[in-house]
Amino acid sequence: MEDLKMFCYQCSQTAKGTGCTIKGVCGKEATVARLQDNLLLTAKGMSAYLYHARELGFVDQEVDAFLERAFYSTFTNVNFDAANFVQLAVEAGKMNLKTMRLLKEAHIKAYGEPEPTEVQTGTKKGQGIIVTGHGLKALEALLKQTEGMGLNVYTHSELLPAHGYPGLKKYEHLAGNLGGAWFDQKQLFSKYPVAILGTSNCVLIPKEDYKDRMFTTGPTRLPGVKHIAGYDYTPVIEKAESLPELDEKPGDVVLTTGFSKSVVLSLKDKIKKLVETGKIRHFFLVGGCDSPHSKAQYYRDFVQRLPRDTVVLTLACGKFRINDLQLGDIGGIPRLIDLGQCNDAIVAIDIASALAEVFGVGINELPLTLVLSWMEQKAVAILWTLLSLGIKGIYLGPILPAWVNDEILKVLKDNYDLRLIGNPEADLKEMLS
């Protein structure tokens, strides 16, 4: 941490980390400004989780107090200490751990603990509504209001894990999942003549051909799109009823989601035996935020190269790179285990902690490697949560976050053994060695 020295911040509001614009004052890269950006992104990610927890009546005053301090620390002419911003980032990671645990508790108390569930892709005969985002409460409200009406409700992107919750899957008209990660919206929403409800971040500016049948709710807003305050989705329903029926076209793939902490840990004795007998050699967590970047193909290529004696955990929208792969099982343990949304990183952390206890080792001594895809604010928060827990040897890609410069990267490598992805074959060989 001492490697990061204090730099002048006077110019960072215009330079944004590209270098000091006041020649002769410091003459070095504005590392403080970059670390401030990191802290702001982390705080934004935490705030998204806190919003959905508060929707369900769950709050945490300690986390709220930290956010207040974090935002104040990023004021101009308040904090010039780069090392302190690293400490704040680590503390943010700890606070995000509490935040994810809070949201998971809220979801389980509201909808029950997820259970493994097969989810159909493709369409069913009838009129429909696609719901995208992360808002389980909004989805539940819509399901209640459409029950018995003959409308089919489909999830998209990060709402796929909703199918695993008993309190949501009980609705028979929760018909399946359409599409993949968030960035396929414009193509997907143009393809299907249905009403669309955006419940959280990851909504995109709509194309003209579906703008009039898209709606936003909660924190989301889009130009030219009707916003619904509260949870009365009558306009969405009326629009869906005015549109033509979809044809019966089952998809080629059936997805499986809903592997909760208790489900996976109920198999811990079997997992231990399979590891000790050499039938399971290694575990990989492959997931995170997906992006349309061509380099993101790495994750699918990587998983396709994995030996058959390995198991893959996945979560967040990055799972759509791999969740259609048929990897089979090892002694009854699925080789591909979908843990849920991005906030369900807490499930992966709890599983890793429990397995470390079962094997009597530290988390870093487990046969486990994290291969994470980077994208938005919640990914920043999760990364710092993992680092705050002392987890080392994380592989990160497909490109570095914009706030990282050579100096920050050196600290992350030196203190946390952070590694950048490269070639799937070479990386896999290194991980398994």
Side-chain angles (χ1 to χ4, degrees):
M1 308 286 180
E2 291 74 18
D3 294 337
L4 291 177
K5 298 181 176 59
M6 187 168 67
F7 290 102
C8 172
Y9 181 61
Q10 293 184 45
C11 65
S12 65
Q13 289 301 310
T14 55
K16 281 295 177 188
T18 59
C20 184
T21 59
I22 306 176
K23 301 301 181 183
V25 177
C26 69
K28 295 184 178 180
E29 212 159 18
T31 299
V32 166
R34 289 172 177 262
L35 291 170
Q36 285 186 324
D37 288 343
N38 163 63
L39 187 59
L40 286 170
L41 290 171
T42 304
K44 288 179 179 180
M46 292 170 60
S47 297
Y49 294 147
L50 289 168
Y51 178 91
H52 293 298
R54 189 180 294 273
E55 277 188 301
L56 296 170
F58 286 73
V59 296
D60 188 302
Q61 292 185 351
E62 183 183 13
V63 175
D64 290 345
F66 171 78
L67 286 175
E68 177 185 283
R69 183 157 51 90
F71 281 121
Y72 193 18
S73 296
T74 63
F75 266 41
T76 305
N77 299 330
V78 169
N79 187 340
F80 295 81
D81 189 339
N84 180 248
F85 274 112
V86 176
Q87 294 168 0
L88 283 169
V90 173
E91 188 177 353
K94 294 176 180 178
M95 290 297 104
N96 187 56
L97 183 69
K98 290 193 69 177
T99 300
M100 290 191 296
R101 188 159 279 135
L102 182 76
L103 181 54
K104 175 50 66 176
E105 181 186 3
H107 283 163
I108 289 176
K109 287 194 174 179
Y111 312 118
E113 186 147 12
E115 53 195 26
T117 303
E118 291 188 343
V119 183
Q120 298 295 322
T121 58
T123 58
K124 293 184 176 181
K125 179 70 173 176
Q127 296 160 315
I129 301 171
I130 295 176
V131 188
T132 188
H134 302 73
L136 294 185
K137 183 171 181 178
L139 175 62
E140 181 195 30
L142 180 66
L143 288 169
K144 285 181 178 179
Q145 292 165 35
T146 52
E147 192 169 17
M149 297 184 68
L151 294 172
N152 293 316
V153 176
Y154 301 91
T155 57
H156 170 250
S157 193
E158 283 280 61
L159 276 177
L160 168 63
H163 294 266
Y165 287 94
L168 298 173
K169 64 186 288 187
K170 69 181 182 181
Y171 293 97
E172 294 182 0
H173 62 301
L174 184 58
N177 187 80
L178 296 176
W182 59 274
F183 55 84
D184 72 3
Q185 287 177 41
K186 295 189 177 185
Q187 179 182 5
L188 181 78
F189 295 168
S190 292
K191 179 179 179 180
Y192 297 107
V194 297
I196 306 152
L197 180 63
T199 67
S200 76
N201 60 296
C202 297
V203 291
L204 298 177
I205 302 296
K207 292 169 62 177
E208 287 297 326
D209 63 357
Y210 66 81
K211 181 188 291 186
D212 68 323
R213 50 187 174 85
M214 185 166 187
F215 301 82
T216 58
T217 191
T220 59
R221 300 288 193 284
L222 291 170
V225 170
K226 181 176 177 58
H227 180 76
I228 299 174
Y231 300 94
D232 180 357
Y233 298 124
T234 300
V236 183
I237 297 168
E238 291 176 344
K239 174 57 71 173
E241 291 178 322
S242 72
L243 296 168
E245 291 188 345
L246 298 177
D247 294 328
E248 185 79 22
K249 287 187 177 180
D252 296 329
V253 176
V254 175
L255 305 175
T256 301
T257 190
F259 287 92
S260 64
K261 170 185 171 183
S262 64
V263 169
V264 176
L265 292 186
S266 69
L267 303 170
K268 64 182 180 182
D269 292 336
K270 181 182 287 189
I271 292 172
K272 182 181 181 183
K273 184 177 180 180
L274 290 170
V275 171
E276 290 176 342
T277 57
K279 293 182 179 179
I280 294 180
R281 185 188 352 174
H282 206 81
F283 296 88
F284 294 90
L285 174 62
V286 182
C289 296
D290 198 8
S291 77
H293 200 292
S294 60
K295 291 183 178 180
Q297 178 64 22
Y298 170 97
Y299 299 93
R300 187 175 182 87
D301 293 344
F302 177 85
V303 172
Q304 288 178 318
R305 285 176 166 80
L306 292 179
R308 290 194 57 80
D309 57 358
T310 59
V311 173
V312 183
L313 307 172
T314 190
L315 50 76
C317 63
K319 64 175 161 281
F320 288 103
R321 288 282 170 180
I322 62 175
N323 66 349
D324 64 319
L325 296 175
Q326 303 301 308
L327 301 184
D329 68 277
I330 303 174
I333 304 297
R335 288 194 59 227
L336 182 59
I337 298 175
D338 178 6
L339 300 177
Q341 292 183 339
C342 52
N343 61 284
D344 289 316
I346 185 62
V347 178
I349 290 169
D350 287 344
I351 289 172
S353 298
L355 289 178
E357 185 176 338
V358 168
F359 288 104
V361 299
I363 288 182
N364 289 315
E365 298 170 279
L366 285 171
L368 168 68
T369 302
L370 279 60
V371 187
L372 305 181
S373 51
W374 185 278
M375 189 60 186
E376 49 94 88
Q377 295 94 323
K378 286 175 283 188
V380 185
I382 292 171
L383 176 64
W384 283 105
T385 292
L386 297 172
L387 298 181
S388 75
L389 292 168
I391 296 176
K392 296 187 177 183
I394 297 171
Y395 285 76
L396 185 66
I399 55 177
L400 274 175
W403 50 268
V404 174
N405 61 9
D406 290 342
E407 189 173 22
I408 294 171
L409 181 59
K410 182 180 185 303
V411 170
L412 293 174
K413 286 182 174 180
D414 291 349
N415 288 276
Y416 302 106
D417 191 24
L418 188 73
R419 306 178 186 191
L420 305 182
I421 63 170
N423 174 274
E425 186 173 356
D427 288 347
L428 179 59
K429 183 178 180 180
E430 179 180 275
M431 295 170 193
L432 291 177
S433 66

